Amino acid sequence: MKKKYFTKSVTALLFAVLLLGCTEEGKIEKHSPHWDYENPIWQNVGYTDCGGTVQTPINIQTGSTIQSSQLSEVMFNYNPFNMKIVDNGHTVQVNTDNAITNNISIDGVTYNFLQFHYHTHSEHEIDGNTDQMEIHLVHQDPVTSNLAVIAIMLNATSATDNTFIQSYLQNFPSEEDIEVATSTSLNLNAILPANKNYYTYTGSLTTPPCSQGLKWIILKEKMAVSSSQLNAFQERHDINARPIQPLNGRIVLEKI
């Protein structure tokens, strides 16, 4: 990342929020201002960073990316863990206590896995087109507290259920804001595509507080779910996607 956007105060706030299971990257503390997807101008209800110039999601225009075969590969080090799951009112999030054994490395930096969650439809667009679903795997550098998010696009193009996705769905909690510890073992490798080429840029959380400075990695190859699985996600939280944000001169790199 060429430019650092986190101040110490923002980093400390974000770290505390994540530990509490808040933001999208989780749920908001009860005393925080209410926000929803029907009125996504969240800076108007007190989340000032949401009006910043380094916001996510964006429309990735493939004709304008800077392509390179020299970009670092993402090294995935994922191992099975028993998931903890919570419906935070905006998405259904899976957490882990086993961050040290689940991480990614890129550009010489290791980011420990924190949680994943979904959006329907996709938040990012590719050449103005949305996908039916997007999963975010959220990771954090334990040294700086900076975040890196892997985004995976999914579409209902399979006649059979996706096994990983089915394990996720079958453990959806019946109540909101209560984290449930399960005996279901997940391995994040099962949701990764074979081709790990990606788009990358600097952005933000896509929900309040919209903190800026995140490393976004959008995998180019898409994954498949069944129509019934997509419907199950939509029935729980439909169109929980933030609108596209201005690029504001940012560069999108593309690993080829």
Side-chain angles (χ1 to χ4, degrees):
M1 210 182 298
K2 293 184 178 179
K3 186 173 182 180
K4 299 288 185 181
Y5 292 89
F6 276 111
T7 63
K8 290 183 179 179
S9 61
V10 170
T11 301
L13 172 62
L14 177 57
F15 185 61
V17 164
L18 282 163
L19 286 179
L20 289 170
C22 303
T23 86
E24 156 175 5
E25 320 255 299
K27 42 179 185 177
I28 289 186
E29 294 177 272
K30 295 303 181 183
H31 63 266
S32 300
H34 172 75
W35 62 272
D36 57 42
Y37 287 102
E38 287 72 29
N39 300 285
I41 313 301
W42 298 318
Q43 57 268 35
N44 292 347
V45 294
Y47 298 103
T48 55
D49 280 359
C50 297
T53 59
V54 187
Q55 292 291 295
T56 298
I58 62 169
N59 174 33
I60 296 172
Q61 297 178 313
T62 58
S64 300
T65 62
I66 296 179
Q67 296 183 336
S68 175
S69 59
Q70 302 304 310
L71 285 174
S72 296
E73 291 186 7
V74 182
M75 306 303 294
F76 293 92
N77 177 33
Y78 289 152
N79 295 282
F81 65 93
N82 286 348
M83 67 174 171
K84 299 185 298 180
I85 191 165
V86 60
D87 184 332
N88 61 37
H90 303 289
T91 187
V92 179
Q93 176 175 307
V94 170
N95 302 316
T96 179
D97 284 333
N98 211 8
I100 294 176
T101 63
N102 284 278
N103 56 64
I104 61 171
S105 296
I106 186 168
D107 297 325
V109 179
T110 296
Y111 299 85
N112 291 338
F113 172 72
L114 294 178
Q115 51 97 342
F116 74 82
H117 58 271
Y118 78 93
H119 298 270
T120 60
H121 49 70
S122 69
E123 295 202 294
H124 287 90
E125 294 180 0
I126 309 296
D127 292 327
N129 298 311
T130 58
D131 289 282
Q132 292 174 306
M133 184 174 166
E134 182 172 342
I135 282 185
H136 292 163
L137 309 179
V138 184
H139 305 75
Q140 185 174 52
D141 179 348
V143 177
T144 66
S145 297
N146 289 343
L147 300 181
V149 183
I150 303 290
I152 303 168
M153 306 299 176
L154 301 97
N155 292 289
T157 56
S158 174
T160 58
D161 288 342
N162 179 303
T163 302
F164 177 95
I165 292 297
Q166 197 61 24
S167 294
Y168 181 21
L169 282 170
Q170 286 176 343
N171 284 277
F172 271 19
S174 59
E175 298 181 68
E176 291 185 1
D177 297 316
I178 298 176
E179 184 181 74
V180 178
T182 79
S183 59
T184 300
S185 179
L186 286 181
N187 190 325
L188 297 173
N189 288 307
I191 195 59
L192 297 177
N195 187 333
K196 307 298 194 300
N197 285 348
Y198 59 85
Y199 304 103
T200 185
Y201 72 99
T202 299
S204 72
L205 297 177
T206 67
T207 64
C210 305
S211 304
Q212 302 183 129
L214 278 68
K215 186 178 190 69
W216 278 91
I217 300 166
I218 297 93
L219 298 183
K220 294 165 66 175
E221 184 177 338
K222 303 173 184 183
M223 299 296 285
V225 298
S226 67
S227 295
S228 62
Q229 289 178 318
L230 177 65
N231 290 339
F233 283 108
Q234 292 173 330
E235 287 172 4
R236 180 59 70 101
H237 293 292
D238 190 21
I239 313 183
N240 58 341
R242 187 186 190 191
I244 294 297
Q245 303 296 302
L247 194 57
N248 291 324
R250 284 175 286 171
I251 294 172
V252 178
L253 303 176
E254 179 181 357
K255 181 171 177 55
I256 58 174

